[in-house]
Amino acid sequence: MEREAAYTGLADWFEYLNDDCGYENWSQYLIAKLGAFPLRSGLDIGCGGGWFTRAFHRTGYAMTGLDISPEMLNFAVRRSRREGANIQYLQGDIARFKTSEKFDFATAINDCVNYIPKEKLKKAFGNVRSALNKKGIFLFDISSPRKFREKIANTVCADDREDVTYLSFNSLEGEKAVMDVTLFVRRRDGAFERRDERHIQYIYEEAEIVVFERSGFVSYANCGLPYYIGGVITDKEELTLQTPESFWQRFRVAMRVRLEVTSI
């Protein structure tokens, strides 16, 4: 099945379906954090439909919203115009974002960072730093590994309402969470239109450890070597206590075997 990009169909329904997420209290918490600093202008990264962007604007900040989804930005522009909010919205990927304008603070709220692939994270954070004035503030959240592994993995989420039904089929593929979203949206003629899209979020550990080992072995039983030499243990695989795969599953340490580090 061919699926659309994330938020292609969900954009117009996202705020509606998240009306129980406590955005008002959440925004007040963030505003209180920002209020501890002398700030005037902000960049809301991954602004989506602009809920938090508008909340920051109402507080008095000069806001710019940035998002990769044109559908989300269209919703944000419409909603901001309805409120009479003068907010600039830009389409772009923070991992590629360049701007001559500088901001006093940047935010990335509601899992935005988890949508950034790991190989692009350093570049993305560097671009945030480049977009900030000296002593600028970067305020972001991130979903924990526990949330993905214990609460999301291998689950189905559903929200059935009069005019839209939301289904999300969730699974883990290594260190990323795949959420296949299906929407059934009521049309004016009463029939329902189906939309399918895929969301991918990446799991970030508090610390990520990579070990390089020149041999092909992660660990082995030294005390078992005399028994192997003496023929008591005949299969040398019995001396291997851990494999790169089992080491990752148990300790969340990435093992790179048959590689040698010659300089740092």
Side-chain angles (χ1 to χ4, degrees):
M1 176 190 300
E2 185 175 351
R3 294 183 177 272
E4 298 175 291
Y7 298 105
T8 301
L10 186 57
D12 286 340
W13 299 96
F14 186 76
E15 286 190 10
Y16 173 66
L17 290 168
N18 284 277
D19 57 5
D20 59 347
C21 288
Y23 279 179
E24 182 61 37
N25 290 336
W26 195 351
S27 66
Q28 292 306 309
Y29 169 81
L30 297 170
I31 290 167
K33 291 291 185 182
L34 295 172
F37 304 93
L39 309 171
R40 298 179 60 186
S41 61
L43 175 67
D44 189 15
I45 301 164
C47 66
W51 203 101
F52 291 101
T53 324
R54 299 192 305 274
F56 296 144
H57 176 269
R58 288 192 294 270
T59 303
Y61 296 117
M63 292 304 302
T64 296
L66 174 71
D67 203 276
I68 200 171
S69 167
E71 293 81 9
M72 277 295 217
L73 289 173
N74 286 336
F75 180 91
V77 169
R78 296 197 309 269
R79 190 55 61 90
S80 294
R81 286 176 178 172
R82 184 187 304 177
E83 295 185 11
N86 183 22
I87 299 174
Q88 175 183 216
Y89 288 102
L90 304 174
Q91 183 182 0
D93 180 352
I94 188 56
R96 299 180 179 179
F97 182 66
K98 301 292 183 182
T99 178
S100 58
E101 186 176 0
K102 298 292 185 179
F103 303 90
D104 293 333
F105 70 90
T107 56
I109 308 303
N110 203 5
D111 299 347
C112 173
V113 172
N114 292 98
Y115 277 94
I116 303 174
K118 293 191 174 185
E119 66 273 13
K120 296 182 179 181
L121 186 65
K122 184 177 180 179
K123 182 67 174 176
F125 274 50
N127 290 342
V128 174
R129 180 183 62 184
S130 298
L132 291 174
N133 287 317
K134 187 177 181 180
K135 296 185 179 180
I137 302 298
F138 182 29
L139 187 62
F140 66 94
D141 61 38
I142 190 167
S143 289
S144 68
R146 178 177 176 270
K147 171 185 173 181
F148 289 112
R149 296 187 181 120
E150 298 182 20
K151 295 187 176 182
I152 292 181
N154 304 316
T155 63
V156 178
C157 298
D159 191 344
D160 186 21
R161 307 197 185 190
E162 188 68 24
D163 44 6
V164 62
T165 296
Y166 167 91
L167 298 169
S168 180
F169 302 88
N170 311 313
S171 61
L172 287 188
E173 295 182 4
E175 290 305 289
K176 64 182 181 182
V178 179
M179 290 153 280
D180 287 327
V181 172
T182 295
L183 290 175
F184 293 96
V185 180
R186 185 189 294 274
R187 302 190 313 220
R188 291 184 178 181
D189 62 3
F192 282 83
E193 178 183 355
R194 176 172 175 168
R195 305 289 297 270
D196 296 282
E197 59 188 53
R198 171 164 288 186
H199 297 239
I200 297 177
Q201 294 193 37
Y202 298 85
I203 301 174
Y204 286 102
E205 303 284 349
E206 186 172 339
E208 296 192 2
I209 303 172
V210 179
V211 176
F212 294 89
E213 170 57 50
R214 185 169 61 179
S215 75
F217 301 101
V218 173
S219 66
Y220 59 90
N222 280 324
C223 58
L225 289 176
Y227 296 96
Y228 179 72
I229 295 172
V232 177
I233 297 176
T234 58
D235 185 358
K236 64 180 181 180
E237 295 297 326
E238 294 183 20
L239 299 176
T240 303
L241 301 179
Q242 298 284 346
T243 65
E245 294 76 18
S246 65
F247 214 82
W248 172 255
Q249 290 297 324
R250 183 174 181 183
F251 302 110
R252 292 296 172 190
V253 173
M255 305 297 300
R256 304 288 187 262
V257 296
R258 296 188 176 88
L259 292 173
E260 181 179 6
V261 177
T262 58
S263 64
I264 298 178

